Amino acid sequence: IVHEADRLQLLVDRLLAPHRHAPEVTDVNIHEICERVRALLLVEHPKGLTVRRDYDISLPDFRGDREQLIQAALYIAQNAAQVMEPQMARGEPAEIVFRTRVARQVTLGKQRWKLALELHIEDNGPGVPAELRDRIFLPLVSGREGGTGLGLHLAQTIVQAHQGLIDCESVVGRTSFRITLPLP
């Protein structure tokens, strides 16, 4: 708990004063990020939520800010878990899947990359309402009562700072957020 509180305080400091703190770029393993987020989800939702893993273990490490990437994945996964809380309360299956894959010949922004990693965060919840799909990454847009509408916007900002892309496909019963990041 202390480690998580320290990590969040550091993240808030960096979000509020980005000019004061340079990104802490190190070698990052995407599966370590997924495992950290998975552990946090299971602590928050100990009953009724299943978090599965489907990893491509051949993915290499890449350069990035580990704490920021944990936070981006956590924003997405927490949204999925929160939107499935009514399912869990009714005793219906609620599942989140972390899936990693390699992508070849990917254009991110205006740059072409031979290799990129894809992190899919999928859930079997009610889906993103059609009227919000085109706006979910905008600040202050939320489909959930009490939501701030900042999580997905901040996740997108973090991913873009890593030269990546985030997108979403959603239908009732399956929502998939895909984070694509370049590999060296």
Side-chain angles (χ1 to χ4, degrees), residues 145-177:
E145 190 173 320
T148 63
L150 292 176
L152 292 178
H153 174 70
L154 291 172
Q156 181 184 51
T157 301
I158 291 167
V159 169
Q160 287 175 342
H162 286 82
Q163 298 179 313
L165 177 71
I166 183 171
D167 62 6
C168 174
E169 293 178 7
S170 183
V171 295
V172 173
R174 183 182 173 277
T175 298
S176 178
F177 281 86

Side-chain angles (χ1 to χ4, degrees), residues 71-177:
Q71 197 61 45
L74 189 59
Y75 285 136
I76 295 166
Q78 281 179 324
N79 276 356
Q82 289 168 352
V83 82
M84 291 190 298
E85 284 175 350
Q87 273 175 242
M88 291 182 252
R90 293 188 302 264
E92 297 171 6
E95 180 178 74
I96 296 175
V97 178
F98 290 102
R99 177 175 291 115
T100 58
R101 295 292 183 261
V102 67
R104 299 182 192 296
Q105 300 302 324
V106 175
T107 301
L108 298 170
K110 295 182 180 181
Q111 190 168 351
R112 186 81 168 162
W113 298 89
K114 288 183 182 180
L115 291 176
L117 74 80
E118 290 183 347
L119 167 59
H120 299 260
I121 302 173
E122 300 176 0
D123 69 69
N124 66 336
V128 177
E131 64 273 8
L132 293 181
R133 285 190 195 135
D134 293 338
R135 302 179 302 130
I136 59 172
F137 294 107
L138 296 175
L140 307 177
V141 173
S142 178
R144 203 171 18 108
E145 190 173 320
T148 63
L150 292 176
L152 292 178
H153 174 70
L154 291 172
Q156 181 184 51
T157 301
I158 291 167
V159 169
Q160 287 175 342
H162 286 82
Q163 298 179 313
L165 177 71
I166 183 171
D167 62 6
C168 174
E169 293 178 7
S170 183
V171 295
V172 173
R174 183 182 173 277
T175 298
S176 178
F177 281 86

Side-chain angles (χ1 to χ4, degrees), residues 2 43 65 76 81 95:
V2 170
V43 166
D65 186 316
I76 295 166
E95 180 178 74

